[in-house]
């Protein structure tokens, strides 16, 4: 079977689906029809032989009845020879022990050993036997036992050549072979045509698919599929194109945004350098230009650091060596830093939550997430307002919320808030100096910790950012276990 398969694989014609379908279809049909024809041939041949034997046996019985009275004569052989009709038949009369009594001239001499076989057949009471005559042709003999009127037992051997039976069998075999050939030719043609017709849309799909290039991923395969499977194929290929298009589009957008973000500080630096080149600058002015240049270099360094972080997150290498740590401690440190920042705007940081919530991952990265949320909350809140930072742990999930009573985010902007380089209000964002990467990085960090980050916001009312992370609560004074695996306390949603 494997040899057939490798042969089929080698033959290029059988590497096409219609070729293969036709081959298997015609092959299966040929084998089953061939088996059926053989069966019919065997059944028909045995019935023809049976009919032939029955006829021979009936003729022998009639002949025996005719001959029996002649055998009680003094010279039965001479009496039989006088009967011209009997002499013209291939008949032989033997004693019960096989000795010949009479042999008609029409009874042909048999080839060497077959003469003895015919005698043995008569002695052994074989009903029928097949022997070969001198020309090695098959002859059928019926051995009919009978007695003369005086009760002496004899055997009558009547011979016949089964030529009619053989010819009928040959004719039947030839007719079957011809019929089989015609059926196979018709089946092969129909199978090839049907396979080609059925698979024609696949060729169309291949043609259209090969026309789609990287720059026109927005194209879809519009192929008329008339079977459920082809419909599913077209749909799944279109779904695949859609899935590929989105990240490719995002990557292109991302590259455009990166170049734009890098262009801004570079332009500012160029402007500063050009103004320094002009003569007649005081030392004080040079110092100012140098400060501007350093500020722009800082902006660029921060941007490049953030981009590297995003790239690491994309490659799932953000948290290289996860360690268990107390999230409560990290939260306290972040609140201290936030208070220092919030002081100038007279904003109060209301903190609720203490140590004892153990998370496995990177304390440094999660610290960045919380600081980003508190920085934004302070930035977008009016002076003299309150920013609340809360943390609690429930059913293996640590929840951190940072809420403010600031400008809020428009409903249309909420779904885009975690996209890289997104700023809800570009003009205002430029003033604040943010690159729009803060929340995108925060989301990647939280994801790398098998958690999620969500926002609930209303324009001019304020925003609540919630970070959910798999965690464990320890008893007061208990040190975080160093070997806690993230998955050990992972809630169901984080494993998706
Ligand atoms: P940026 O570095 O510009 O602050 P972020 O990714 O941190 O970038 O935030 C993206 C945008 O989301 C901000 O430009 C701002 O428009 C909006 N935003 C984030 N946090 C808040 C908040 N607490 N209140 C109102 N708008 C916010």
């Amino acid at each position: 079977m494997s040899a057939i398969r490798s042969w089929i694989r080698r033959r290029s014609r059988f590497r096409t689906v219609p070729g293969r379908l036709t081959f298997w279809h015609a092959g299966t049909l040929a084998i089953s029809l061939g088996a059926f024809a053989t069966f019919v041939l065997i059944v028909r041949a045995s019935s023809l032989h049976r009919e032939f034997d029955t006829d021979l046996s009936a003729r022998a019985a009639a002949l025996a009845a005719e001959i029996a009275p002649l055998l009680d004569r003094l010279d039965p052989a001479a009496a039989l020879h006088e009967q011209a009709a009997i002499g013209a038949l291939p008949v032989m009369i033997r004693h019960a022990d096989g000795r010949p009594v009479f042999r008609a001239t029409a009874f042909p001499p048999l080839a060497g050993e077959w003469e003895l076989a015919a005698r043995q057949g008569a002695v052994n009471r074989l009903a029928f036997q097949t022997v070969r005559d001198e020309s090695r042709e098959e002859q059928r003999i019926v051995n009919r036992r009978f007695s003369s009127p005086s009760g002496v037992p004899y055997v009558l051997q009547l011979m016949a050549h089964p030529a009619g039976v053989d010819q009928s069998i040959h004719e039947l075999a030839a007719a079957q072979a011809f019929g089989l050939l015609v059926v196979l030719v018709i089946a092969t043609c129909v199978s090839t045509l049907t396979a080609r017709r059925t698979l024609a849309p696949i060729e169309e799909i291949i043609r259209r698919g090969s026309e789609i290039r990287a720059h026109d991923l927005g194209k879809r395969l519009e192929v008329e599929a008339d079977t459920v499977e082809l419909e599913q194929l077209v749909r799944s290929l279109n779904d695949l194109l859609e899935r590929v298009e989105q990240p490719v589009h995002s990557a292109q957008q991302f590259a455009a945004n990166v170049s734009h973000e890098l262009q801004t500080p570079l332009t500012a630096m160029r402007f500063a350098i050009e103004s320094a080149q002009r003569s007649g600058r005081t030392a004080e002015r040079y110092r100012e230009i140098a400060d501007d240049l350093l500020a722009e270099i800082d902006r660029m360094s921060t941007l490049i650091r953030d981009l590297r972080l995003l790239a690491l997150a994309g490659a799932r290498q953000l948290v290289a060596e996860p360690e268990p740590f107390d999230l409560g401690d990290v939260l306290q440190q972040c609140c201290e830093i936030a208070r220092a920042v919030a002081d100038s705007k007279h904003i109060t940081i209301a903190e609720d939550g203490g140590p004892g919530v153990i998370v496995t991952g990177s304390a440094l990265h999660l610290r960045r997430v919380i600081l980003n949320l508190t920085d934004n909350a302070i930035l977008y809140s009016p002076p003299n307002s309150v920013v609340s930072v809360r943390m609690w742990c429930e059913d293996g999930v640590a929840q951190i919320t940072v809420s403010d009573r600031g400008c809020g985010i428009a409903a249309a902007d909420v779904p885009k808030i975690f996209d890289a380089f997104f700023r809800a209000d570009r003009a205002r964002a430029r003033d604040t100096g943010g690159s729009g990467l803060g929340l995108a990085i925060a989301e990647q960090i939280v994801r790398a910790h098998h958690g999620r980050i969500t926002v609930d916001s209303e324009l001019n009312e304020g925003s609540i950012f919630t970070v959910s992370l798999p965690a464990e609560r320890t008893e007061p004074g208990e040190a975080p276990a160093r070997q806690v695996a993230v998955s050990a306390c992972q809630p169901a949603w984080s494993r998706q």
Side-chain angles (χ1 to χ4, degrees):
M1 199 65 180
S2 64
I4 297 177
R5 264 201 216 120
S6 67
W7 179 78
I8 291 169
R9 244 175 254 140
R10 278 199 309 274
R11 310 285 301 189
S12 61
R13 193 177 314 157
F14 296 126
R15 292 186 64 190
T16 63
V17 176
R20 218 170 257 196
L21 281 180
T22 306
F23 174 79
W24 286 115
H25 188 212
T28 315
L29 201 66
I31 290 170
S32 28
L33 281 182
F36 180 68
T38 312
F39 172 74
V40 168
L41 198 67
I42 290 169
V43 171
R44 185 68 191 129
S46 78
S47 108
L48 282 172
H49 278 122
R50 220 175 16 255
E51 280 169 22
F52 180 81
D53 285 352
T54 312
D55 179 56
L56 195 61
S57 185
R59 278 168 52 212
L63 204 58
E66 197 184 320
I67 285 171
L70 301 174
L71 292 172
D72 278 344
R73 300 252 182 105
L74 265 182
D75 187 355
L80 285 167
H81 276 300
E82 280 166 17
Q83 304 290 319
I86 293 173
L89 292 171
V91 66
M92 187 163 180
I93 310 294
R94 291 179 189 273
H95 288 288
D97 58 3
R99 275 178 300 117
V101 177
F102 165 77
R103 183 175 190 139
T105 43
F107 195 97
L110 302 180
E113 72 277 13
W114 293 110
E115 201 63 63
L116 191 66
R119 181 190 173 128
Q120 280 308 116
V123 176
N124 294 340
R125 301 181 173 204
L126 290 182
F128 297 96
Q129 60 187 132
T130 302
V131 294
R132 286 185 186 276
D133 62 19
E134 272 191 329
S135 56
R136 309 298 299 178
E137 261 205 78
E138 271 192 2
Q139 300 286 352
R140 191 85 171 141
I141 291 178
V142 59
N143 295 307
R144 175 83 193 176
R145 292 183 74 80
F146 68 105
S147 302
S148 67
S150 62
V152 182
Y154 291 95
V155 178
L156 179 143
Q157 290 190 310
L158 183 63
M159 183 186 278
H161 180 43
V165 174
D166 290 349
Q167 197 188 340
S168 301
I169 292 170
H170 286 145
E171 277 171 10
L172 180 64
Q176 283 182 334
F178 180 72
L180 197 74
L181 204 71
V182 171
V183 170
L184 279 183
V185 169
I186 294 173
T188 307
C189 295
V190 171
S191 173
T192 310
L193 280 177
T194 318
R196 285 223 179 116
R197 261 187 94 115
T198 313
L199 297 173
I202 290 198
E203 280 172 21
E204 186 66 6
I205 291 170
I206 294 169
R207 196 181 61 76
R208 300 251 180 121
S210 59
E211 280 170 11
I212 296 176
R213 297 276 173 272
H215 61 267
D216 50 23
L217 284 173
K219 271 192 182 174
R220 292 292 173 265
L221 297 170
E222 275 149 25
V223 179
E224 221 170 275
D226 52 359
T227 60
V228 178
E229 291 81 4
L230 287 177
E231 225 170 72
Q232 281 172 351
L233 178 68
V234 171
R235 205 176 313 127
S236 81
L237 283 173
N238 281 336
D239 287 352
L240 177 72
L241 280 173
E242 201 153 321
R243 285 199 300 276
V244 171
E245 184 194 4
Q246 209 262 329
V248 168
H249 180 75
S250 303
Q252 286 164 344
Q253 190 66 44
F254 187 81
N257 283 331
V258 169
S259 55
H260 176 80
E261 290 299 326
L262 287 173
Q263 191 61 47
T264 313
L266 280 175
T267 310
M269 285 163 80
R270 186 187 176 90
F271 179 76
I273 292 166
E274 278 172 359
S275 87
Q277 277 175 335
R278 276 179 233 125
S279 54
R281 303 274 164 227
T282 60
E284 181 60 23
R285 181 67 192 126
Y286 277 122
R287 218 170 291 121
E288 278 173 22
I289 290 170
D291 286 346
D292 287 349
L293 283 174
L294 282 176
E296 291 305 333
I297 287 171
D298 281 350
R299 270 171 78 119
M300 277 179 75
S301 303
T302 310
L303 182 66
I304 289 165
R305 233 187 2 254
D306 287 354
L307 288 173
R308 185 175 167 274
L309 217 59
L310 271 180
L312 283 176
R316 297 185 186 275
Q317 292 171 359
L318 207 54
V319 186
E321 287 171 7
E323 293 246 329
F325 63 91
D326 195 326
L327 190 62
D329 291 345
V330 175
L331 191 85
Q332 271 174 356
Q333 289 164 18
C334 291
C335 286
E336 286 308 311
I337 297 168
R339 270 185 203 108
V341 179
D343 252 9
S344 59
K345 276 180 87 177
H346 305 287
I347 290 174
T348 311
I349 304 290
E351 184 190 343
D352 178 9
V357 175
I358 308 305
V359 166
T360 302
S362 159
L364 200 71
H365 285 326
L366 284 176
R367 189 178 126 111
R368 184 190 165 127
V369 172
I370 300 168
L371 280 179
N372 183 266
L373 295 180
T374 51
D375 277 358
N376 280 348
I378 295 164
L379 200 60
Y380 300 113
S381 287
N384 303 312
S385 62
V386 177
V387 168
S388 306
V389 182
R390 290 186 63 218
M391 184 181 78
W392 71 99
C393 186
E394 209 176 273
D395 299 332
V397 182
Q399 309 265 19
I400 301 170
T401 58
V402 177
S403 46
D404 63 66
R405 309 287 295 167
C407 61
I409 304 157
D413 290 338
V414 170
K416 305 177 211 154
I417 209 84
F418 297 105
D419 291 351
F421 298 110
F422 178 80
R423 295 165 182 129
D425 181 342
R426 288 191 165 258
R428 187 187 65 198
R430 204 174 300 123
D431 296 342
T432 59
S435 60
L437 286 178
L439 286 179
I441 292 172
E443 192 194 28
Q444 293 295 341
I445 292 173
V446 173
R447 261 200 213 170
H449 286 81
H450 309 286
R452 66 177 171 185
I453 180 167
T454 54
V455 61
D456 190 6
S457 182
E458 210 164 302
L459 207 56
N460 302 323
E461 288 293 329
S463 312
I464 305 175
F465 283 85
T466 307
V467 175
S468 313
L469 293 165
E472 272 187 359
R473 183 167 269 297
T474 55
E475 294 305 315
E478 195 181 320
R482 293 196 68 79
Q483 294 306 321
V484 180
V486 173
S487 57
C489 49
Q490 214 174 314
W493 50 259
S494 72
R495 275 180 243 121
Q496 289 160 10

